[in-house]
Amino acid sequence: MKKRSYQETALRILILLVGLTIAHLGVTLFLLSDLGADPFNVLVQGVYRTSSALTGWSILTHGRIHIILCFVIILILLFADRSYIKAGTILCMICGGPIIDFFTIFLAPLFPENSPLLYKIFMLALGCVILAYGMTIVIKSDAGTGPNDLVAVVISDKSHKPFSIVRIVVDATFVLVGFLLGGAVGIGTIICAGCVGPVAGVFLPFNEKIVQNILRKFLPAIQ
């Protein structure tokens, strides 16, 4: 594999950050709709509730369990295929929270307590589409992908199955295991599990062309 120049690496990371920002705009809309956690966070919530009940440790929090599960995924990939772990994988872990906090400050007024259910469902679905779009930019930047998203990416690559189908199966597995462990499932969870995979499948080839065009424009040496 050809070693990338510092310029190419920096440009790919910049593209990743743009995609990450778009994706977490979608996540923020999803969370503010308050109609259920996304599939991975259902799993996180289930593991958190079960581990807290079994151990009684006050040190355990939802956020810390989230980090632990992400590290577990990374550790598994270190043994399975470490080529998927890149600088962007770490950036996704570090930057996701602050980006969501930033958008929450500005978007919270769009979600008053008396918001109609149909409005919440619309904003949630919009958030899922935006999340899927941003996620595919992150994936096609090839600078690294968030650990939880890597699960579907790796399985799709290794099995040679469509990403959209694999993503649905992975999200459904997260939801099922999380629910059995005590995680909360809502209508938003179902919409997200059924929407993100297919929409991402549509956006993947589209954003691959965009990323390649950007690389060729700013790095003419790339063919």
Side-chain angles (χ1 to χ4, degrees), residues 155-162:
I155 293 176
S156 176
D157 288 349
K158 300 299 183 183
S159 65
H160 305 290
K161 301 295 183 182

Side-chain angles (χ1 to χ4, degrees), residues 83-146:
S83 65
Y84 286 92
I85 302 174
K86 301 173 182 177
T89 304
I90 308 302
L91 283 175
C92 287
M93 291 181 60
I94 296 174
C95 297
I99 292 174
I100 291 174
D101 289 343
F102 173 79
F103 280 129
T104 298
I105 293 173
F106 293 98
L107 297 180
L110 296 177
F111 296 86
E113 292 184 6
N114 59 346
S115 296
L117 178 60
L118 286 178
Y119 174 77
K120 289 185 175 182
I121 292 176
F122 170 77
M123 295 301 286
L124 182 145
L126 177 63
C128 287
V129 172
I130 295 173
L131 164 60
Y133 183 81
M135 180 182 68
T136 57
I137 295 177
V138 172
I139 292 172
K140 289 306 178 181
S141 72
D142 198 25
T145 304

